Amino acid sequence: MMAASPPSPCAAGFPAEGRCGYYVEKKKRFCRMVAAAGKRFCGEHAGAAEEENSRKRILCPLDPKHTVYEDQLAKHLKKCNAREKPKPDFFIQDINAGLKDDTEILEQLVPISSLSEEQLGNLINKLRKASEGLSSTLNDHIMSHPALHDAINDPRNGDSATKHLKQQASILGNIEKLQLLGPRRCFVEFGAGKGKLSHWVDVALKDAEKVHFILVEKVTTRFKVDGKHRKKNSVFERLQIDIQHLCLNKIPVLREGKLPVVGIGKHLCGVATDLALRCLVETYAACYEKRNEEPLAKRIKNDKTENEINTLAKEGSENNVPEKWTPVAGIVIALCCHHRCEWRHYVGKEYFRGLGLGAVEFHYFQRMSSWATCGMRKAPLEDTAITTKSKDHQSDDSEEHDDGEYRITDDSTDNLPGILTVEEKKKIGHLCKLLIDQGRVQYLQHKGFSPALQNYIDPLVSLENVLLTALPIPSSSLQTTG
């Protein structure tokens, strides 16, 4: 018979050798941090030891989740992970934010649940009038791509994994249909999360040359798939930054390599879509349009070293200058969470104003857009409980916000404005989404793009199933139509 192994130190009721002797009551175990030589406790719990009572520990002013010795505070602040770090060159405060007009008005508005039946009825009538002429039924562009065939059919997948793989496959199929899936370009994934959409684009491109991926995500993300990329021809770069402050022109690969950009995103929440559109077509594309208006000699001096000036000037005189390239080759973004939109950042303000609508109507329409998923989730409506300011407006990679976050609990069958049926609320919610998206479409049209909205996945897979695509209109076409 084999002798029983001795119990572990923790199981015997005392800490492991060299570890902190502080017992964490909440976790029902000893602290596992290493204690300094000759000390019983780690630095975090040293205050509990009698020999350490002479040194006071205080909360870190940068991050109160940890403590520090008061007499070492100045030294700690210089190396604390929570300290403000230098901003990168591509950070420009509020460059994609939009104007702050009418924001004071919105702070004084009451929640939808506090509106009278007459006020709610007037809002719904304005919505229906503004939506006249808009088709409430979008074309289906439900597609797939062979790059994801094996992954979708993997028997080990759960329902959630299969759902997201089908969406990624359809987005990839639409990218390919628009002829955006090719070499010598840069894919910028907004709200990248774990980076799965870029990963599948990379898989689909196989051995395409000179492909660069920029993954933009505001928050630190766990379980990223970045480490799976081993291709020599593909370069992945992750930027932890809010889209609101992102200047693509300052990123070296785009400033120096002049790669056409394809903006992509899967479930880009509310305001993040507007920030991404402005980042692409105003901050980035508009910059190159201004540069193209400069005289050739000036552009040469700005872009090239002195050693290259003579060569380029000679090529220009021989009419061998490369033809004008397109800064933004296309946009493919799966829309999401219209209730997280904000008037300040919204790109369709002119469209709303042209319909006689403003910040107040937009505020209520974006709130009512959550009615599109009415009854799909058992959660009471608390219109003031969640605000766009308290939520991260970029994609969280769990992507479990497809069904909306609000619903009306009053399911009466009466047909009054304040007492709507579930189906009526859903129709109103869809109209709100459609109207907000139509403002984005008109914005892209005015910026020289040919945009479209389509259903890219079955609503049984995801209730947030609308894809916004846009391709640049050739300059010759713009001159003809103008």
Side-chain angles (χ1 to χ4, degrees), residues 108-342:
Q108 304 172 8
L109 297 178
V110 299
I112 294 177
S113 56
S114 299
L115 295 175
S116 67
E117 290 187 12
E118 182 180 1
Q119 290 173 319
L120 183 58
N122 288 336
L123 278 172
I124 293 173
N125 288 335
K126 285 185 178 181
L127 173 67
R128 287 173 174 157
K129 182 179 179 181
S131 303
E132 289 178 358
L134 295 180
S135 175
S136 59
T137 304
L138 301 178
N139 294 328
D140 289 338
H141 282 201
I142 301 174
M143 308 186 74
S144 189
H145 196 280
L148 287 92
H149 182 268
D150 292 341
I152 291 175
N153 293 290
D154 190 335
R156 296 171 296 179
N157 288 338
D159 291 341
S160 178
T162 301
K163 176 180 73 170
H164 295 304
L165 286 168
K166 286 182 177 179
Q167 293 175 71
Q168 289 154 357
S170 183
I171 294 173
L172 196 54
N174 277 278
I175 293 174
E176 186 172 55
K177 183 178 180 181
L178 294 169
Q179 299 181 351
L180 296 173
L181 198 62
R184 294 179 294 280
R185 61 197 62 197
C186 178
F187 293 88
V188 180
E189 182 179 357
F190 294 95
K194 298 174 187 175
K196 290 183 178 179
L197 181 56
S198 290
H199 167 73
W200 289 116
V201 172
D202 185 42
V203 172
L205 286 170
K206 298 182 180 179
D207 297 321
E209 295 181 352
K210 295 184 180 179
V211 179
H212 201 100
F213 291 89
I214 296 177
L215 279 60
V216 182
E217 178 55 61
K218 177 181 178 180
V219 299
T220 303
T221 307
R222 300 178 65 193
F223 310 118
K224 300 184 287 290
V225 297
D226 302 26
K228 295 183 178 181
H229 311 129
R230 296 287 186 266
K231 292 183 182 178
K232 294 182 180 180
N233 295 329
S234 299
V235 179
F236 279 77
E237 183 177 0
R238 180 174 283 269
L239 308 180
Q240 187 175 334
I241 184 174
D242 192 319
I243 304 170
Q244 183 169 329
H245 315 300
L246 174 61
C247 181
L248 291 177
N249 308 313
K250 299 291 186 178
I251 299 175
V253 68
L254 296 179
R255 184 179 66 242
E256 300 165 6
K258 288 192 175 181
L259 294 174
V261 165
V262 179
I264 60 176
K266 177 177 179 288
H267 287 176
L268 197 56
C269 289
V271 63
T273 295
D274 298 300
L275 295 173
L277 293 178
R278 191 176 283 113
C279 177
L280 289 167
V281 305
E282 287 189 42
T283 307
Y284 186 62
C287 172
Y288 282 101
E289 289 175 3
K290 291 178 181 178
R291 287 164 64 89
N292 286 329
E293 293 173 358
E294 296 177 356
L296 176 62
K298 185 176 181 180
R299 293 205 306 273
I300 291 171
K301 290 181 180 180
N302 288 341
D303 292 342
K304 301 295 179 180
T305 64
E306 292 296 328
N307 294 333
E308 296 173 298
I309 291 179
N310 293 334
T311 303
L312 282 174
K314 182 178 179 181
E315 291 176 351
S317 64
E318 296 174 356
N319 296 322
N320 289 328
V321 177
E323 62 179 285
K324 183 180 176 182
W325 65 291
T326 305
V328 179
I331 300 170
V332 181
I333 294 176
L335 305 175
C336 182
C337 298
H338 293 70
H339 58 271
R340 292 188 185 179
C341 291
E342 295 180 29

Side-chain angles (χ1 to χ4, degrees), residues 81-101:
N81 289 333
R83 72 189 185 282
E84 185 176 356
K85 300 174 180 62
K87 302 297 184 185
D89 291 341
F90 51 79
F91 180 100
I92 299 181
Q93 186 74 34
D94 293 333
I95 189 170
N96 303 314
L99 301 176
K100 291 185 177 180
D101 55 337

Side-chain angles (χ1 to χ4, degrees), residues 11-24:
F14 55 91
E17 184 177 355
R19 302 290 173 168
C20 178
Y22 184 84
Y23 187 78
V24 185

